């Protein structure tokens, strides 16, 4: 499953600036706006959910006398994943993160122990 966060928005008139786009699209989530030379802009949201919401809400909406066309910048194919697939992916990522945190904690605990403790444990074999 692709977690898409980047939208391409066009057509943009000469009066549409980065600041205008940020103001229009910021209500859907935190984003970065990058203007392109060919009359479109890239909107990169921090969250895939915010990008989906912005796309649904703003596609074909007027801005400075032009109907905006929003499409996925990284993949123009529609998102066919179900909510249950997305939740399963999120659950697996949380499990992986938990394992990484445990490994890091174990490594930090080993660094905190005085060397005499480690020597005593080795000598008990």
């Amino acid at each position: 499953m692709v977690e898409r966060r980047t939208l391409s928005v066009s057509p943009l008139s000469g009066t549409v600036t980065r600041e205008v786009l940020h103001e229009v699209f910021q209500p859907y989530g935190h984003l970065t706006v990058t203007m392109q030379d060919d009359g479109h802009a890239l909107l990169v949201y921090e969250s895939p959910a915010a990008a989906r919401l912005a796309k649904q809400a703003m596609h074909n909406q007027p801005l400075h006398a032009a109907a905006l066309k929003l499409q996925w910048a990284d993949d123009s194919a529609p998102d066919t994943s179900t909510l249950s697939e997305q939740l399963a992916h999120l659950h697996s990522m949380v499990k992986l993160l938990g394992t990484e945190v445990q490994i890091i904690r174990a490594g930090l605990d080993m660094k905190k122990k005085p060397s005499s403790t480690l020597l005593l444990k080795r000598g008990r074999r």
Side-chain angles (χ1 to χ4, degrees):
M1 174 178 60
V2 176
E3 291 291 326
R4 296 176 295 196
R5 303 177 307 122
T6 305
L7 294 168
S8 174
V9 58
S10 64
L12 301 177
S13 71
T15 60
V16 176
T17 64
R18 180 190 161 288
E19 291 75 20
V20 167
L21 288 173
H22 194 272
E23 182 179 324
V24 168
F25 285 94
Q26 189 275 331
Y28 304 102
H30 188 71
L31 77 152
T32 301
V33 177
T34 305
M35 302 299 287
Q36 304 294 308
D37 291 334
D38 60 353
H40 81 281
L42 297 176
L43 311 175
V44 182
Y45 280 91
E46 285 189 356
S47 115
R52 283 191 301 274
L53 183 62
K55 185 176 186 295
Q56 291 169 354
M58 293 301 295
H59 184 68
N60 288 325
Q61 294 299 310
L63 180 66
H64 292 219
L68 296 177
K69 303 297 180 203
L70 281 91
Q71 63 183 12
W72 296 112
D74 47 340
D75 181 1
S76 59
D79 186 1
T80 58
S81 61
T82 65
L83 181 57
S84 62
E85 290 171 333
Q86 293 173 4
L87 288 173
H89 177 70
L90 180 60
H91 180 72
S92 66
M93 296 304 292
V94 168
K95 285 175 80 174
L96 278 173
L97 181 59
T99 301
E100 289 179 27
V101 168
Q102 289 174 355
I103 291 169
I104 291 169
R105 283 184 182 159
L108 290 175
D109 287 344
M110 292 298 291
K111 289 179 182 177
K112 289 180 184 176
K113 292 182 180 179
S115 58
S116 60
T117 306
L118 293 174
L119 290 174
L120 288 173
K121 285 186 178 181
R122 288 185 186 144
R124 290 185 187 167
R125 291 185 202 183

